[in-house]
Amino acid sequence: EADIYQTPRYLVIGTGKKITLECSQTMGHDKMYWYQQDPGMELHLIHYSYGVNSTEKGDLSSESTVSRIRTEHFPLTLESARPSHTSQYLCASRQLGGHTEAFFGQGTRLTVV
Amino acid sequence: AQSVTQPDIHITVSEGASLELRCNYSYGATPYLFWYVQSPGQGLQLLLKYFSGDTLVQGIKGFEAEFKRSQSSFNLRKPSVHWSDAAEYFCAVGAYTGNQFYFGTGTSLTVIP
């Protein structure tokens, strides 16, 4: 069954640590996205990708970086975590075309202490 | 520029009552419209989508939505709400030519017995 997976689901980490949030999809989608969402709040697009070796920053400025070396994999990295990075991070993917829906992972809840 | 507005931040309804969640969009061409639901601590699940054709679309869990071009609206409805419908609801628009996917700010639904 096609799906999109995020790991870890929950992460508590100390300030200054480097972390990578994993996102993988088995649907062969070209477009992938990272959203940041504070509790009960809207989704803010922080990164997106059209395909392999293509990455763009989203509407919300973020200190994170992403890479897209393989179609199925779109990891997000924070070089030095800070308490302000505490949030939920949602990964999504879509097929090409404006009419296609986005499929979401279950999210990673990050807490930086 | 594309945008999505959900005027109601929070709605409370009684179980068994009818529900309507509002969504207005701004887009220069025919939009592709979506409704998603998010349970606490989870990712987003697609309820329904509109591309073209019949302006009344049926979705999962008994939801439906009506596209009204003259009002730039895509309101979500359900005839009889169940306690399990309590969640966050997001309206979204997919750009025809672009790669981004725009979300509204969300409406939080509380269902009271």
Side-chain angles (χ1 to χ4, degrees):
Chain A
E1 180 180 307
D3 214 338
I4 180 165
Y5 306 95
Q6 288 186 245
T7 57
R9 285 293 312 278
Y10 303 94
L11 178 63
V12 180
I13 199 164
T15 298
K17 299 292 186 183
K18 177 180 179 179
I19 57 170
T20 296
L21 308 184
E22 302 288 348
C23 177
S24 295
Q25 49 98 2
T26 61
M27 297 171 278
H29 289 168
D30 287 305
K31 301 181 194 178
M32 295 190 74
Y33 307 82
W34 276 103
Y35 292 89
Q36 184 174 342
Q37 182 187 33
D38 292 324
M41 302 292 284
E42 62 191 286
L43 285 79
H44 294 285
L45 179 67
I46 52 176
H47 297 282
Y48 61 100
S49 168
Y50 305 152
V52 171
N53 294 325
S54 157
T55 61
E56 300 287 341
K57 289 188 178 295
D59 302 323
L60 181 67
S61 175
S62 174
E63 295 166 341
S64 58
T65 59
V66 293
S67 63
R68 190 86 183 277
I69 299 172
R70 304 198 315 265
T71 297
E72 62 271 21
H73 196 212
F74 191 41
L76 181 144
T77 298
L78 279 166
E79 291 293 332
S80 179
R82 296 210 303 265
S84 60
H85 296 139
T86 295
S87 190
Q88 170 150 269
Y89 293 84
L90 292 169
C91 181
S93 71
R94 293 172 72 198
Q95 264 291 19
L96 288 175
H99 63 288
T100 59
E101 68 262 35
F103 293 83
F104 282 81
Q106 290 196 295
T108 294
R109 170 71 64 188
L110 173 65
T111 301
V112 183
V113 298
Chain B
Q2 300 91 337
S3 68
V4 180
T5 302
Q6 293 180 248
D8 304 305
I9 296 173
H10 185 253
I11 285 182
T12 299
V13 298
S14 299
E15 190 168 16
S18 63
L19 171 70
E20 182 169 30
L21 303 182
R22 296 183 291 165
C23 173
N24 294 97
Y25 66 89
S26 173
Y27 187 61
T30 300
Y32 301 112
L33 295 161
F34 309 82
W35 273 101
Y36 284 84
V37 61
Q38 183 182 33
S39 298
Q42 300 295 315
L44 278 69
Q45 180 185 20
L46 181 70
L47 284 175
L48 48 78
K49 57 190 178 185
Y50 171 78
F51 300 150
S52 64
D54 192 347
T55 56
L56 184 64
V57 293
Q58 302 297 321
I60 62 172
K61 305 185 181 188
F63 285 93
E64 66 178 27
E66 185 171 13
F67 171 61
K68 293 185 177 180
R69 185 188 300 276
S70 61
Q71 299 177 19
S72 297
S73 69
F74 188 56
N75 294 347
L76 182 72
R77 300 195 294 251
K78 187 169 184 178
S80 177
V81 170
H82 188 262
W83 64 267
S84 60
D85 293 324
E88 190 83 16
Y89 290 81
F90 291 93
C91 182
V93 60
Y96 178 76
T97 56
N99 291 292
Q100 294 202 31
F101 204 70
Y102 298 92
F103 283 90
T105 52
T107 297
S108 176
L109 174 65
T110 298
V111 180
I112 56 177

